[in-house]
Amino acid sequence: MNAIAMMLLGLGAMLLGYLFYSKFIAEKIYRLDPNFKTPAHEFEDGVDFVPTNKYVLWGHHFTSVAGAAPIIGPAIAVIWGWVPAFLWVVFGTIFFAGVHDAGAIWASNRNKAKSIGALTGDVVGKRARNLFMIVIFLVLLMVNAVFATAISGLLIKFPSSVVPVWGAIFVALIIGQVIFRKWMSLGMVSILGVIALYALIVAGPSMPLSLPEMTLGISDNAGWILILFGYAAIASMLPVWMLLQPRDYINGLQLFIGLILLYLAVLIAAPDISAPAINHNTPEGTPSMLPLLFVTIACGAISGFHGLVASGTTSKQLDKETDARFVGYFGAIGEGSLSLATIIAATAGFATLADWESVYTSFGQGGVAAFVTGGANILHDGVGLGEEISQTLLTVMAVLFAGTTMDTGLRLQRYIFQEWGSIYNIKWMQKGVAATLLAVASCLILAFGAGGADGSGGLLIWPLFGTTNQLLAGLTLMVITVMLVRLGRPMYFTLLPLIFLLIMTVIALLIQLKGFYLKADWFLFTLDLIVLIAAVWIALEATASLSKLRKAKQQPTD
């Protein structure tokens, strides 16, 4: 099969999903109201609560939720064949991710921009909230620690990407001032910002940078991780308009243009897919496709992390409630299109089946490297970009996605500590600086405590990311479903995805639990067990809440 057919089918289906299905969900299920006063206006403070143009906010939401996961997951999952990965990404984006993301924004917006964890306490109950926040904290810990490791590895492997990656921060700081102070129209700012970012990408190969050998007596990997967390800590405390919004917006444009360039190259080069549609010859040790496919591809089909961003930062910047459809659902479409591009790069970017099989020698192989290698080959054949420029472009795309997610993730982790401070009346923990230091410290303890001097300890709990993340998505849908029942609205459009996700995730957790037990990996076994118990407990709490609501509605009134 030719990659053009996969691209047109995938993008066409997602476009139809946005035009029709998202409109139905927004108008008939969530009933978004343009006249509802959003928390961004009600609590406007110029720091976290800032009414924001929907296109700028889309850029923040899209780049924050995308990260490296929609590249890593699909590029690993194609080991089972490209058809299962393609179908889950396309249909998952339309019927799961878009509904989840827009719903999380709506739910938070209707409850004073509370995070989905805090909102659980109001909607389901305090016990469910406490358990939910543990799951949220674990997901954020995984995302921040692992993405720091992933970014540092890419900066070391591709030194030509260092100048574009860090230069993007200075471009964003300038753009933030220009947009906030309205010195220039958004269109002109967008054009100049994109030109500046692509100029940095072109300049990158001629100015490769690496850290000095054994800086302060630590490895390059550890050095970059410390620098990344130092930057993220500062960025997470700055007003959102100063760095978070402009960086995410301009990166979103740059990254979207990168996707368009990659898809254009597919149209011109018309590469055939070298990977099998269904792989009947998977390497030894490859786990069963069911249910692992649905947790291996998390971001790109549906992801619990999206709910954290939607209810943590996005809802605090929503100008009009109706913007939730564009920001949330179309943000999911953007990530789905990235996952689709990844599948194409990781299956059609290799000349022969033998070349593809030489990369996919065991489960877990592929990832960002397959995306960069395959995508660079397609760009070279399609639009004539040189190999180094192509690799730099795709590496910068991956790093900027991961970096913006890490910025947002650390800010969200700070919110979690502040919410804990409010719940348990610990006043010092409610302070922004203290909560940020706790967030950074927890990540560094995992990175260096579990990973040693290299700082790669985040990878230790990465095997649990997919299941924990999908569990979080199911639990977010559960909160939204309970809200819909309370309001007397149709619930099946969130309930059916919720049931599917919980079944697949619990089965996957049980499979992993057995694997950790057989390997005598008691650390991951314990974490897996905690997540599994939390999932079952929260599900029971939500079921009880739904049962009470239904009984209350059935009782006759005087």
Side-chain angles (χ1 to χ4, degrees):
M1 181 175 175
N2 193 275
I4 293 178
M6 187 201 298
M7 180 188 77
L8 294 178
L9 285 171
L11 292 180
M14 286 189 275
L15 178 60
L16 290 174
Y18 177 72
L19 292 176
F20 298 104
Y21 192 63
S22 76
K23 188 172 187 291
F24 167 75
I25 293 294
E27 294 180 357
K28 304 299 183 182
I29 307 303
Y30 298 143
R31 301 179 189 176
L32 304 181
D33 181 0
N35 298 315
F36 181 82
K37 187 175 182 180
T38 66
H41 289 282
E42 186 177 356
F43 306 114
E44 184 173 0
D45 60 6
V47 179
D48 294 318
F49 291 87
V50 180
T52 304
N53 178 286
K54 71 176 183 179
Y55 299 105
V56 175
L57 186 55
W58 174 86
H60 156 70
H61 185 79
F62 167 52
T63 54
S64 293
V65 301
I71 295 174
I72 297 171
I76 290 175
V78 294
I79 198 168
W80 290 302
W82 64 264
V83 168
F86 171 78
L87 292 176
W88 175 227
V89 163
V90 172
F91 289 104
T93 295
I94 296 170
F95 296 107
F96 287 67
V99 175
H100 170 276
D101 289 20
I105 296 174
W106 165 75
S108 178
N109 181 68
R110 285 284 168 157
N111 291 273
K112 302 185 183 299
K114 288 183 179 180
S115 73
I116 202 68
L119 186 56
T120 306
D122 298 337
V123 175
V124 181
K126 291 184 178 180
R127 285 193 301 267
R129 177 200 64 193
N130 295 337
L131 292 165
F132 204 163
M133 291 185 73
I134 292 173
V135 176
I136 292 172
F137 179 77
L138 286 174
V139 169
L140 290 173
L141 193 65
M142 293 176 194
V143 167
N144 292 331
V146 173
F147 279 15
T149 303
I151 294 170
S152 66
L154 288 170
L155 293 176
I156 293 169
K157 186 175 182 179
F158 300 101
S160 61
S161 67
V162 174
V163 167
V165 166
W166 292 100
I169 296 171
F170 294 101
V171 173
L173 285 168
I174 295 171
I175 287 174
Q177 294 293 327
V178 173
I179 293 176
F180 184 75
R181 303 185 189 286
K182 298 180 180 179
W183 290 338
M184 199 179 294
S185 70
L186 183 61
M188 183 58 66
V189 172
S190 303
I191 293 170
L192 294 177
V194 168
I195 291 173
L197 289 184
Y198 274 99
L200 288 168
I201 290 174
V202 172
S206 62
M207 295 185 292
L209 290 178
S210 302
L211 290 179
E213 192 71 21
M214 293 299 288
T215 305
L216 299 177
I218 59 177
S219 68
D220 287 355
N221 193 64
W224 277 124
I225 287 173
L226 289 173
I227 291 171
L228 285 165
F229 275 114
Y231 155 75
I234 296 171
S236 71
M237 290 187 289
L238 292 176
V240 291
W241 63 266
M242 188 176 292
L243 181 57
L244 186 69
Q245 282 182 357
R247 173 174 173 166
D248 289 356
Y249 172 66
I250 202 66
N251 284 349
L253 289 178
Q254 188 258 20
L255 297 167
F256 217 63
I257 291 171
L259 281 177
I260 292 172
L261 193 62
L262 183 57
Y263 281 128
L264 178 63
V266 171
L267 282 174
I268 296 172
D272 289 324
I273 300 171
S274 58
I278 304 290
N279 191 5
H280 299 289
N281 190 33
T282 55
E284 186 178 353
T286 301
S288 170
M289 180 176 70
L290 295 175
L292 271 299
L293 171 70
F294 302 104
V295 297
T296 301
I297 301 180
C299 299
I302 183 172
S303 164
F305 181 72
H306 293 202
L308 301 185
V309 176
S311 64
T313 57
T314 303
S315 64
K316 294 178 175 63
Q317 302 170 61
L318 199 67
D319 184 32
K320 295 181 180 179
E321 188 174 69
T322 47
D323 292 347
R325 178 192 173 201
F326 180 79
V327 174
Y329 199 103
F330 195 65
I333 295 291
E335 188 179 65
S337 67
L338 172 61
S339 290
L340 178 61
T342 298
I343 293 171
I344 293 173
T347 57
F350 298 89
T352 65
L353 176 61
D355 291 336
W356 183 82
E357 289 179 335
S358 69
V359 173
Y360 288 87
T361 55
S362 64
F363 183 72
Q365 296 300 308
V368 176
F371 170 72
V372 171
T373 302
N377 290 335
I378 293 173
L379 284 171
H380 176 71
D381 295 340
V383 295
L385 284 182
E387 182 179 353
E388 192 171 18
I389 285 289
S390 298
Q391 288 183 344
T392 300
L393 171 65
L394 295 175
T395 300
V396 170
M397 281 179 63
V399 171
L400 290 182
F401 270 126
T404 51
T405 299
M406 190 178 165
D407 288 0
T408 304
L410 200 65
R411 186 179 288 260
L412 292 172
Q413 210 168 351
R414 185 244 293 177
Y415 291 161
I416 290 293
F417 278 110
Q418 288 179 308
E419 285 180 358
W420 275 334
S422 298
I423 291 169
Y424 299 108
N425 198 28
I426 306 173
K427 291 185 179 180
W428 64 268
M429 194 184 287
Q430 299 173 33
K431 305 294 184 182
V433 174
T436 300
L437 291 176
L438 286 174
V440 172
S442 62
C443 293
L444 292 179
I445 287 171
L446 174 62
F448 290 94
D454 195 43
S456 57
L459 297 176
L460 185 67
I461 60 174
W462 184 249
L464 277 173
F465 171 75
T467 46
T468 309
N469 189 43
Q470 295 304 72
L471 169 64
L472 185 57
L475 298 179
T476 300
L477 285 171
M478 185 178 293
V479 172
I480 296 170
T481 301
V482 174
M483 282 187 61
L484 290 173
V485 172
R486 282 186 172 183
L487 294 169
R489 298 178 189 174
M491 65 175 179
Y492 295 104
F493 301 95
T494 56
L495 181 64
L496 294 178
L498 152 66
I499 293 172
F500 179 84
L501 273 181
L502 286 185
I503 290 173
M504 291 297 120
T505 303
V506 169
I507 294 173
L509 281 167
L510 290 170
I511 291 172
Q512 287 183 321
L513 194 69
K514 179 182 177 181
F516 297 144
Y517 175 79
L518 293 175
K519 293 177 183 177
D521 191 335
W522 303 118
F523 177 70
L524 288 180
F525 178 88
T526 303
L527 280 181
D528 192 312
L529 191 61
I530 290 171
V531 172
L532 183 60
I533 292 172
V536 174
W537 199 335
I538 296 170
L540 291 174
E541 293 277 349
T543 302
S545 178
L546 280 172
S547 178
K548 289 179 182 177
L549 284 172
R550 293 178 72 86
K551 287 180 180 178
K553 289 181 180 293
Q554 292 171 358
Q555 289 179 354
T557 57
D558 294 332

